[in-house]
Amino acid sequence: MSRIDRRFAQLRDKRRAALVTFVMAGDPDPATSRALLKALPQAGADLIEIGMPFTDPMADGPAIQAAGLRALRAGMTLHGVLHLVAQFRESDAHTPIVLMGYYNPIYVYGVEKFLVDAKAAGADGLIVVDLPPEEDAELCLPALRAGLSFIRLATPTTDEARLPAVLANTSGFVYYVSIAGITGAGRPDYSRVAEAVARIKAHTPLPVAVGFGVKDASAAAIIAAHADGVVVGSALIDALAGTLDGEGRGGEAAVKAVSALVRELASGVAGAAKNSATGEKVSA
Amino acid sequence: MDAMARLTSWMDGPALPVEAARPFKSGNMTLQTPILQPNSLRQGPDAHGHFGIFGGRFVAETLMPLILSLEKAYEEARADPAYHAELQNLLTHYVGRPSPLYFAERMTQHLGGAKIYFKREELNHTGAHKINNVLGQILLARRMGKKRIIAETGAGQHGVATATACARFGLECIVYMGAVDVERQKPNVFRMNMLGAKVVPVQSGARTLKDAMNEALRDWVTNVEDTFYCIGTAAGPHPYPAMVRDFQCVIGEETRAQMFAAEGRLPDSAFACIGGGSNAIGLFHPFLDDRSVELYGVEAAGHGLNVENGHAASLAGGRPGVLHGNRTYLLMDPEGQILEGHSISAGLDYPGIGPEHAWLKETGRVTYLSATDEEALAAFHLCAQLEGIIPALEPAHALARIIDIAPTKPKDHLMVLGLSGRGDKDLATVAGSLGGME
Ligand SMILES: Cc1ncc(COP(=O)(O)O)c(C=O)c1O
């Protein structure tokens, strides 16, 4: 059983959804990033998605674009990302880590070498935005062979006919992107989120985590009542960016600000658990 | 022999390995496309959009259903004579096709070698080859019921062509253009505004063409219901590279027929500049199986190929990678981060290239060269002075290599330049290069 499977199973026993937090590796600098990763589980993150920075993140909004560019300017590389994961694992053997990004840096690193190194560093899964099922032979199938989960995005445009193909080689969990759009944009229509999660669950036993547009505890609570996980990214990046000084330097303030928001989100998720445990669903 | 008689004699003649021919019309000319040979280089891409290892569909899941429905709509349109008739009618009466194949007599005399012809795409409505592709896509958008058109643009020529077609058909038009390009191609920004398009200056990343494409993709991901993405070059996820090529093949098909009409035989060589590669693939593709025809694609060498991040020659200075939906040659750092590249010509300033060119490079069928900013400027001036034609800076790159190669060829060598656009948009840039003459 993988770390991801184990974590979702534990949370299911507790009747609570997972809080999945996204941060960009090396944003705004490697030292702050390392401290931030270490602080996330203490603040209430159940799973961590770590962004692998890329110059051309075509599915991301301004917040994550800027985070990636800050990280690249501070010297982050794919080797550096894996090093951060390995450092995190020195003090945390249980929190699942999912690496999220775009294919080109992985392709250039070398697929087989990347999979070996990512596994050795202690990563558990991959989300690669620009690899749909049509391109499974590139990375998805090799990743599964290497013992890494390949987490696929399902979106509002993924219809009934396409869903089986999208789910076919997915493992770990399914990431439902609740709006057609880029990260950080808009607010999902919560009533349709419940419906979409149910639609996906009719096709797969995997947990379904929902993201895009979750910014605060109340939104997290609503999603947590309907899904197995709540993914928060841009809001955390915004919290971090708000603490940077004129030269874009990070430090303790960044870690504190992000941790505070994670605690708030975690309480939202925990609150929703009570509601669903007593059978009352929170509605939009 | 008149033109039609020559065309017919070419069909009957033994010179070509043609087993059968499918007639079609371009403007008022009837052209012939040979049915493909089993070992033809014109069969790509495969069902998954691959040209060898290049191409593919590397897009976010949100876009995948849209790309599949576009592919289906394009296949249906291709098989529909009414669609072709509508497109041909527009190409004839709106664009002004066929564009002339012009004997550049003084350029020929000056260089003292090959006999040089210009395929004059700069005479098309809107002043470049871009309109050929745009009309094909806009008619497709109409068939698909899409009312909102988005496009990326570098030099602004594709943006102008898209704005033009949208005005013609009453469609909403949003053009993404890097903020740097908005500055250096002001006349085209003004033209787009006049045509009713909304030009969005893109501030992200390097603020040039690649970032405009990122932003257009972000728009498409957000507006999936009503929006058609009209890509301006033979790149992007399948089916775009093949579709854009098909629309641009009119350049090479006409050239073929016109050269037979003028000289009674195939050209010996053809040259075209390469940004994403649409005018080049359009000129080359109909000749790919005529192995006697030398094909030269010319990339932008900017400040020089040895200047780091100082050029936009993806094939000469790049490696295979994945960006904007396809695997192709890209300019990138050792970590796979995309470089900005540089060219004096905004239309060539793109760190990638269409996947079919990447494949043609590997097969060796097309020779890829490059020309620097300085060489392109010299060619620009020579063309203006000898022929009374002010070319765009993009095709001036191809002309720069003709200036070297034509003198090495015999006088009966028939050489074609794809003159992809006119230079009005570049006057400020050229004046700037002459030292504050603005
Ligand atoms: C006149 C002209 N030629 C060539 C190009 C390069 O594009 P492509 O390589 O797709 O033909 C452009 C692009 O803007 C252009 O305006």
Side-chain angles (χ1 to χ4, degrees):
Chain A
M1 203 184 218
S2 74
R3 276 191 202 101
I4 298 174
D5 297 340
R6 217 177 302 130
R7 181 55 51 99
F8 274 106
Q10 286 162 356
L11 293 173
R12 202 175 308 120
D13 291 345
K14 292 188 193 166
R15 311 207 56 174
R16 153 164 106 67
L19 176 61
V20 183
T21 57
F22 173 93
V23 290
M24 181 64 73
D27 173 32
D29 57 71
T32 305
S33 190
R34 183 180 172 185
L36 180 55
L37 287 172
K38 197 166 175 179
L40 287 174
Q42 290 156 22
D46 299 304
L47 280 86
I48 300 177
E49 287 178 11
I50 301 184
M52 301 176 279
F54 182 48
T55 38
D56 294 77
M58 62 209 178
D60 285 303
I64 294 179
Q65 288 174 39
L69 293 181
R70 283 193 299 268
L72 290 173
R73 267 199 299 275
M76 189 43 57
T77 62
L78 199 44
H79 290 94
V81 175
L82 298 180
H83 187 58
L84 277 174
V85 174
Q87 286 178 320
F88 175 85
R89 278 279 168 255
E90 286 169 9
S91 61
D92 187 324
H94 303 295
T95 306
I97 298 241
V98 175
L99 298 175
M100 180 161 181
Y102 296 80
Y103 185 40
N104 196 54
I106 297 172
Y107 179 70
V108 167
Y109 190 102
V111 164
E112 290 303 329
K113 179 166 158 36
F114 171 76
L115 293 172
V116 169
D117 292 355
K119 181 89 186 158
D124 304 292
L126 304 175
I127 300 176
V128 182
V129 179
D130 51 355
L131 286 176
E134 280 73 6
E135 303 290 352
D136 266 358
E138 294 285 334
L139 182 66
C140 172
L141 299 178
L144 297 179
R145 283 195 295 271
L148 287 162
S149 294
F150 198 85
I151 293 122
R152 190 99 61 195
L153 308 182
T155 74
T157 59
T158 312
D159 61 18
E160 221 35 42
R162 194 169 159 74
L163 205 44
V166 168
L167 296 173
N169 293 318
T170 304
S171 59
F173 62 98
V174 180
Y175 184 165
Y176 179 66
V177 171
S178 58
I179 48 174
I182 51 179
T183 51
R187 258 181 181 273
D189 175 345
Y190 296 115
S191 58
R192 296 180 89 180
V193 167
E195 192 186 302
V197 171
R199 187 163 67 88
I200 295 168
K201 281 186 164 290
H203 287 272
T204 178
L206 289 171
V208 178
V210 176
F212 277 43
V214 183
K215 291 188 168 51
D216 53 32
S218 67
I222 294 167
I223 302 250
H226 299 300
D228 304 304
V230 181
V231 188
V232 186
S234 297
L236 299 180
I237 306 271
D238 284 338
L240 178 146
T243 67
L244 301 181
D245 68 14
E247 269 114 70
R249 272 187 301 251
E252 215 172 302
V255 178
K256 272 198 181 135
V258 176
S259 298
L261 181 53
V262 171
R263 268 192 297 276
E264 198 186 312
L265 293 161
S267 74
V269 170
K274 282 189 221 95
N275 284 308
S276 68
T278 55
E280 298 165 34
K281 290 263 172 183
V282 179
S283 63
Chain B
M1 221 195 290
D2 70 24
M4 278 330 290
R6 278 178 198 262
L7 262 176
T8 320
S9 77
W10 152 54
M11 279 166 55
D12 298 334
L16 285 164
V18 178
E19 283 161 356
R22 169 171 62 87
F24 66 97
K25 288 187 81 73
S26 167
N28 56 5
M29 291 175 28
T30 298
L31 308 174
Q32 303 288 337
T33 298
I35 298 289
L36 301 184
Q37 305 288 307
N39 61 349
S40 170
L41 293 172
R42 302 186 62 193
Q43 297 178 63
D46 70 14
H48 305 288
H50 294 127
F51 300 91
I53 67 159
F54 301 103
R57 289 178 286 211
F58 296 88
V59 296
E61 172 59 25
T62 314
L63 291 182
M64 205 53 226
L66 281 72
I67 281 167
L68 292 173
S69 85
L70 173 66
E71 185 182 350
K72 186 161 166 281
Y74 178 54
E75 287 308 322
E76 285 165 10
R78 245 156 64 109
D80 181 355
Y83 173 80
H84 286 285
E86 195 180 4
L87 182 55
Q88 292 312 337
N89 188 43
L90 283 167
L91 290 176
T92 306
H93 301 289
Y94 193 62
V95 178
R97 300 208 72 91
S99 68
L101 183 71
Y102 161 77
F103 170 42
E105 192 173 355
R106 291 194 69 216
M107 185 66 77
T108 298
Q109 278 166 6
H110 178 80
L111 296 176
K115 187 168 183 186
I116 298 163
Y117 281 86
F118 292 170
K119 176 59 175 166
R120 299 201 51 193
E121 293 297 300
E122 102 281 9
L123 292 176
N124 295 341
H125 181 42
T126 72
H129 68 291
K130 299 287 183 185
I131 191 83
N132 304 330
N133 163 47
V134 165
L135 288 172
Q137 289 197 50
I138 295 300
L139 291 186
L140 194 57
R142 275 162 54 86
R143 283 174 72 102
M144 294 175 78
K146 307 280 184 183
K147 301 238 162 2
R148 183 176 176 273
I149 308 296
I150 58 172
E152 85 295 336
T153 197
Q157 287 303 119
H158 174 61
V160 166
T162 307
T164 298
C166 287
R168 167 68 182 73
F169 288 103
L171 299 166
E172 184 186 356
C173 179
I174 295 110
V175 180
Y176 291 94
M177 188 168 187
V180 169
D181 293 336
V182 168
E183 268 318 298
R184 61 176 165 172
Q185 304 281 305
K186 278 213 180 101
N188 274 344
V189 176
F190 191 66
R191 288 167 82 195
M192 286 184 268
N193 288 331
M194 292 298 95
L195 292 160
K198 183 175 161 211
V199 180
V200 182
V202 175
Q203 300 290 354
S204 63
R207 299 180 296 148
T208 57
L209 183 51
K210 83 173 170 75
D211 308 287
M213 195 147 182
N214 289 332
E215 215 54 38
L217 286 164
R218 289 181 187 122
D219 179 311
W220 204 21
V221 167
T222 309
N223 300 289
V224 292
E225 296 297 334
D226 62 343
T227 297
F228 186 99
Y229 182 14
C230 182
I231 295 187
T233 192
H238 179 65
Y240 283 100
M243 181 172 75
V244 175
R245 173 201 68 202
D246 292 349
F247 294 140
Q248 292 294 1
C249 271
V250 67
I251 303 172
E253 277 149 3
E254 285 178 7
T255 300
R256 202 171 205 287
Q258 289 167 319
M259 191 58 94
F260 267 94
E263 300 277 356
R265 65 181 181 89
L266 286 168
D268 297 298
S269 62
F271 288 70
C273 66
I274 300 211
S278 69
N279 89 89
I281 201 71
L283 177 61
F284 296 166
H285 203 262
F287 295 111
L288 286 180
D289 290 336
D290 303 306
R291 306 293 169 114
S292 69
V293 182
E294 300 166 28
L295 302 171
Y296 297 93
V298 183
E299 298 188 291
H303 300 309
L305 290 182
N306 51 359
V307 179
E308 203 186 320
N309 210 10
H311 64 84
S314 326
L315 290 177
R319 288 168 295 139
V322 174
L323 180 71
H324 293 154
N326 56 166
R327 184 184 350 254
T328 187
Y329 276 76
L330 299 173
L331 296 175
M332 55 187 163
D333 74 7
E335 289 286 327
Q337 303 297 342
I338 308 303
L339 297 175
E340 294 160 24
H342 160 80
S343 168
I344 191 170
S345 145
L348 304 184
D349 207 346
Y350 179 67
I353 181 168
E356 194 163 12
H357 286 291
W359 176 72
L360 287 168
K361 173 196 160 82
E362 305 235 317
T363 62
R365 175 64 185 94
V366 178
T367 304
Y368 293 91
L369 308 169
S370 64
T372 63
D373 290 353
E374 219 171 288
E375 291 171 323
L377 280 166
F380 173 97
H381 290 296
L382 192 67
C383 187
Q385 286 158 15
L386 290 179
E387 294 294 347
I389 295 171
I390 298 179
L393 282 170
E394 290 83 8
H397 286 72
L399 183 57
R401 288 289 72 86
I402 284 185
I403 289 171
D404 298 343
I405 295 173
T408 70
K409 300 287 187 188
K411 289 204 163 25
D412 63 353
H413 180 106
L414 303 177
M415 186 175 274
V416 178
L417 166 68
L419 218 184
S420 55
R422 66 176 189 229
D424 311 40
K425 70 185 177 60
D426 295 317
L427 296 182
T429 305
V430 175
S433 78
L434 295 176
M437 280 182 52
E438 283 168 84

